[in-house]
Amino acid sequence: MKKKKRIFIPLIIGAAAVGLVVWDNFRVTVSEYTIQYGELPESFDGFKIVQVSDLHNACFGKNQSGLMSAIREAKPDMIAITGDLFTTQKRENAYSFLKQAAEIAPCYYVSGNHEQRFADYYSEIKPHLERLGARVLNDELVSITKGGEKITVIGLSDPTFFRTKSTEESTDERLSMLESDGFTILLSHRPELFDVYAKHNVSLALTGHAHGGQVRIPFTHRGLYAVHQGWFPKYTEGIYSENNTKMVVSRSLGNSTIYPKINNPPELVIIELKRENY
């Protein structure tokens, strides 16, 4: 009997641990940030952004009910989609999300490295995203006006579309052509290029790609590994500041590997912009 207990108890603990990891990978958590800026136009005080990054065609409830309810509850003024909506040729969950999201608030989308893998990206995916209601920004900028004032949204395509140059050089050149006066929000998939964003005095950069470091190390704010950053990556979650630029990194909603994320549940990011009073 004692021998059976020695076998049975570890099996129960192991099954519980696996169940916890699976559950943790399919629940939507919400991270809320309030960021203050002195240069924010008064009309945009309280402007709310929902950031969706690295969905990877994941599904959260029937017809994305879990994800959409969290977005609706946030009542955003803008939805920023920072790349990697897809992982495979299956796209139905991503399309379901986007169709519903566009009914809630204006959606602005930039590509990630996974979109670049599809040969039909420009011929099929991009037009379909636009038909569903997304404003696809391929190295473009667009103004949002409110109360006679404006902010500028800049969208960068993922550097994998420009393989003839390094990611830093490509990003630097493209941002040089998209600089704008006033308050700017940059949508870009890559957090590891933060120094480039700060060089161009972007007010707020929204990024993803790092998947929170895949495994979040307990009792720390560190991730274990991120592609293009390596082990113990610098940028995996939350807010980072350099000079006049702030960057928010999403831990991602989906996953693109066969390995589960651990201590790192799917994350929906909500950002409220506030005007700093001096």
Side-chain angles (χ1 to χ4, degrees), residues 93-160:
N93 295 325
Y95 289 158
S96 175
F97 148 72
L98 183 54
K99 181 179 179 181
Q100 296 177 77
E103 296 171 353
I104 298 171
C107 295
Y108 300 88
Y109 163 89
V110 293
S111 60
N113 56 298
H114 278 270
E115 280 87 344
Q116 190 274 335
R117 297 180 182 183
F118 297 112
D120 60 355
Y121 174 68
Y122 285 105
S123 63
E124 178 187 338
I125 298 176
K126 178 179 179 288
H128 191 58
L129 294 177
E130 292 173 333
R131 286 193 295 270
L132 289 171
R135 178 67 186 267
V136 178
L137 298 176
N138 291 325
D139 301 330
E140 300 172 67
L141 54 79
V142 61
S143 294
I144 299 177
T145 58
K146 188 176 182 182
E149 297 178 295
K150 76 165 187 174
I151 61 175
T152 301
V153 178
I154 301 170
L156 284 183
S157 299
D158 191 75
T160 50

Side-chain angles (χ1 to χ4, degrees), residues 244-256:
N244 297 319
T245 300
K246 292 181 174 65
M247 177 175 71
V248 173
V249 182
S250 166
R251 292 199 316 268
S252 84
L253 279 158
N255 196 1
S256 61

Side-chain angles (χ1 to χ4, degrees), residues 7-158:
I7 297 172
F8 190 59
I9 291 174
L11 286 175
I12 292 176
I13 294 173
V18 170
L20 180 61
V21 169
V22 171
W23 173 77
D24 208 36
N25 275 261
F26 288 94
R27 64 186 182 97
V28 177
T29 61
V30 175
S31 297
E32 299 185 61
Y33 304 109
T34 299
I35 307 179
Q36 293 186 316
Y37 290 93
E39 71 270 26
L40 182 71
E42 289 185 16
S43 299
F44 288 86
D45 186 35
F47 190 81
K48 193 172 287 188
I49 304 166
V50 160
Q51 182 190 3
V52 171
S53 195
D54 300 85
L55 182 64
H56 290 292
N57 202 51
C59 185
F60 298 96
K62 185 177 180 181
N63 199 29
Q64 297 287 26
S65 58
L67 176 59
M68 301 317 303
S69 63
I71 294 175
R72 289 189 185 95
E73 186 176 344
K75 299 179 179 178
D77 298 289
M78 164 186 168
I79 298 174
I81 305 168
T82 49
D84 282 6
L85 270 177
F86 320 103
T87 298
T88 67
Q89 294 289 350
K90 295 181 179 179
R91 303 170 192 149
E92 64 278 1
N93 295 325
Y95 289 158
S96 175
F97 148 72
L98 183 54
K99 181 179 179 181
Q100 296 177 77
E103 296 171 353
I104 298 171
C107 295
Y108 300 88
Y109 163 89
V110 293
S111 60
N113 56 298
H114 278 270
E115 280 87 344
Q116 190 274 335
R117 297 180 182 183
F118 297 112
D120 60 355
Y121 174 68
Y122 285 105
S123 63
E124 178 187 338
I125 298 176
K126 178 179 179 288
H128 191 58
L129 294 177
E130 292 173 333
R131 286 193 295 270
L132 289 171
R135 178 67 186 267
V136 178
L137 298 176
N138 291 325
D139 301 330
E140 300 172 67
L141 54 79
V142 61
S143 294
I144 299 177
T145 58
K146 188 176 182 182
E149 297 178 295
K150 76 165 187 174
I151 61 175
T152 301
V153 178
I154 301 170
L156 284 183
S157 299
D158 191 75

Side-chain angles (χ1 to χ4, degrees), residues 211-232:
H211 289 209
Q214 196 68 22
V215 175
R216 301 296 298 172
I217 302 171
F219 312 113
T220 74
H221 295 287
R222 300 292 303 276
L224 184 63
Y225 180 84
V227 66
H228 298 119
Q229 292 189 69
W231 295 100
F232 306 108

Side-chain angles (χ1 to χ4, degrees), residues 250-274:
S250 166
R251 292 199 316 268
S252 84
L253 279 158
N255 196 1
S256 61
T257 75
I258 62 172
Y259 306 105
K261 296 194 298 180
I262 297 175
N263 192 34
N264 184 17
E267 179 187 48
L268 182 73
V269 174
I270 301 172
I271 303 161
E272 184 176 11
L273 303 180
K274 297 293 291 183

